[in-house]
Amino acid sequence: MVTLNSADSALKSFYLGAVAESLNMKTNPFLASIERTSANVVGKDVKMTVRKSYSAGIGAGTETGDLPTASASQYLQFTLPLKNLYGTIEISDKALRASASDEGSFVNLLNDEMNTLVKSATFNFGRMLFGDGSGVVAKTIRVQNYWIFLDSVSGIVEGMRVRVSSKSEYDNLVVEKVDRKEKKIYISGAYPLNTDVPEGTLIYIYGSDNNELTGLGAIFSENRLYGVDRDVTVMQPYVLEDAGEIDEMTIQTALDEIEEVSGGKVNFIVCSWGVRRALLSYFKQNHVSLPTMEIEGGFKAISYNGIPIVVDRFCPAGTMYLLNTDDFKLCQLCDWQWLEAEDGKILKQVAGKPVYTATLVKYAELVCQRPCGQGMITGITEA
């Protein structure tokens, strides 16, 4: 006999480990390659001390001369709050009772809920890795017949709740349709938008304003990063704009300059679909076949001199990131856990509704301890 208690127990003992593994290692290859640690978590914040210069106490001299004089070590202090990451499932009382006498149906019910949770969480956390923490997913181009044309729809799916920032009444709106070919969305429940939304209006994930992970977008912006100014070399990543046709020399030049400045080596390249096609086309024209390789998390990638090149749906068009994953840390208070009530239960009835919910939670933040070891090439002509 399946009961609420047995459902609660199954979520705790059976599903938690599998879901946590999927979210940590299967979201995308970049996240799978990053170390997860609680070493830099202090209370509700991440605090990381980063050296900004080499020691001056190194040198050569005569046999009887003065020894090199060491200077005081110079450090930067990164301080930023842990972000609150949630994933909620919902089971109706009717569905639970319908499967009460059939364990197979009950297992199918939970499997479906957990698979949906993993897919939704994978999409959103993957999107965050390429954002700047603001929760912005697109900018408006124009509005026509209740359709909103955007600069990109890669971070938007049907059912997503968004906020159109120009009007307070445009909060918590549901995306009903996404036309990826024409890059437009249809939002339900909105007032007439034809004259109210100017070009360039930001589209936010509802409730996520400045609450998301500090992703790659923040590293390559001109704003302060982790509470620190950009006026020191360690805080300045390599950026090449308007690259045009991609070729081996462009990539190798970027790799060399990053290594020269940072002292580290790029070990991971991520790009858009069109950039990968352009890269494969370039090497094919030069009669070179790039080998494939398997990387962390069971993903496969093409290899450029031993460096994996992977595609991510959230990587901006015409863009290639050259990264050293050793410089990134996912600082977390704990791994994924269920929110528990005072009685230890994780399935809780929604007040006034015949529905039970359970919520996964993780308090974490993504930190790059050496921005100068990362690179970005933009304006690449896609194929």
Side-chain angles (χ1 to χ4, degrees):
M1 180 71 177
V2 175
T3 66
L4 195 61
N5 287 335
S6 60
D8 208 87
S9 177
L11 290 175
K12 285 182 181 179
S13 60
F14 181 74
Y15 286 97
L16 180 59
V19 170
E21 176 70 12
S22 293
L23 294 180
N24 289 334
M25 303 303 295
K26 303 299 182 182
T27 294
N28 65 30
F30 177 46
L31 181 61
S33 66
I34 297 173
E35 178 186 355
R36 293 177 294 281
T37 178
S38 59
N40 300 104
V41 176
V42 181
K44 296 188 293 183
D45 295 327
V46 176
K47 294 184 180 294
M48 183 177 293
T49 302
V50 176
R51 183 184 292 274
K52 69 176 183 179
S53 63
Y54 288 105
S55 170
I58 306 297
T62 65
E63 184 176 350
T64 59
D66 294 334
L67 294 173
T69 301
S71 61
S73 296
Q74 296 182 318
Y75 296 94
L76 298 173
Q77 180 70 50
F78 294 168
T79 302
L80 60 166
L82 289 168
K83 302 300 171 60
N84 311 315
L85 309 177
Y86 302 110
T88 300
I89 64 170
E90 182 177 279
I91 303 174
S92 71
D93 182 67
K94 183 178 182 179
L96 193 61
R97 291 179 186 274
S99 60
S101 59
D102 186 343
E103 292 188 0
S105 297
F106 172 69
V107 170
N108 290 337
L109 174 66
L110 286 186
N111 282 344
D112 181 65
E113 286 294 330
M114 300 310 295
N115 287 335
T116 301
L117 172 64
V118 168
K119 288 180 180 179
S120 299
T122 296
F123 179 90
N124 280 288
F125 299 144
R127 175 185 55 76
M128 289 184 196
L129 293 177
F130 290 85
D132 60 3
S134 66
V136 173
V137 289
K139 292 182 181 180
T140 61
I141 301 298
R142 70 181 189 278
V143 177
Q144 181 179 337
N145 298 327
Y146 299 95
W147 285 89
I148 304 178
F149 289 78
L150 305 173
D151 63 339
S152 172
V153 294
S154 64
I156 301 178
V157 291
E158 288 84 353
M160 181 176 282
R161 295 184 177 273
V162 298
R163 177 171 69 83
V164 181
S165 65
S166 62
K167 294 282 185 176
S168 60
E169 62 262 32
Y170 297 159
D171 281 355
N172 198 15
L173 302 176
V174 179
V175 177
E176 284 196 354
K177 303 175 185 177
V178 179
D179 186 328
R180 301 195 177 277
K181 184 177 181 179
E182 295 193 25
K183 296 183 180 179
K184 63 182 183 179
I185 61 174
Y186 185 89
I187 294 180
S188 67
Y191 290 83
L193 299 171
N194 296 60
T195 59
D196 290 51
V197 181
E199 180 180 352
T201 296
L202 301 178
I203 306 293
Y204 291 84
I205 299 297
Y206 178 70
S208 291
D209 301 29
N210 299 313
N211 291 323
E212 296 190 343
L213 293 174
T214 305
L216 295 177
I219 295 173
F220 294 97
S221 75
E222 296 180 356
N223 301 325
R224 283 165 57 90
L225 181 65
Y226 312 139
V228 175
D229 289 330
R230 299 278 192 160
D231 57 351
V232 291
T233 300
V234 72
M235 298 299 295
Q236 300 169 3
Y238 173 91
V239 176
L240 173 63
E241 299 177 325
D242 302 320
E245 299 292 336
I246 192 67
D247 56 35
E248 187 173 13
M249 187 59 67
T250 300
I251 298 174
Q252 193 59 52
T253 299
L255 294 173
D256 293 344
E257 292 194 21
I258 292 170
E259 182 177 351
E260 180 181 4
V261 172
S262 69
K265 292 188 176 182
V266 169
N267 61 7
F268 193 91
I269 296 176
V270 59
C271 62
S272 65
W273 303 101
V275 168
R276 184 175 67 174
R277 290 193 295 268
L279 188 63
L280 291 174
S281 176
Y282 165 79
F283 281 107
K284 182 178 180 180
Q285 292 172 10
N286 288 275
H287 308 289
V288 175
S289 178
L290 294 177
T292 60
M293 60 190 298
E294 187 167 313
I295 56 178
E296 193 73 30
F299 297 96
K300 289 188 176 181
I302 58 176
S303 173
Y304 172 78
N305 291 338
I307 304 173
I309 300 178
V310 303
V311 167
D312 197 286
R313 65 183 298 174
F314 301 111
C315 184
T319 300
M320 173 182 285
Y321 291 106
L322 304 98
L323 309 171
N324 184 344
T325 58
D326 294 337
D327 292 334
F328 288 86
K329 307 292 181 187
L330 186 67
C331 301
Q332 58 188 37
L333 187 61
C334 60
D335 206 352
W336 290 101
Q337 299 289 335
W338 291 110
L339 279 179
E340 296 185 6
E342 293 182 0
D343 59 1
K345 302 296 184 182
I346 59 176
L347 274 171
K348 299 175 283 291
Q349 183 181 355
V350 178
K353 294 184 178 182
V355 171
Y356 297 93
T357 65
T359 302
L360 276 173
V361 64
K362 184 173 186 173
Y363 306 107
E365 178 60 296
L366 180 65
V367 182
C368 176
Q369 58 192 10
R370 195 167 48 169
C372 67
Q374 322 310 317
M376 178 178 71
I377 303 173
T378 65
I380 299 171
T381 303
E382 295 194 330

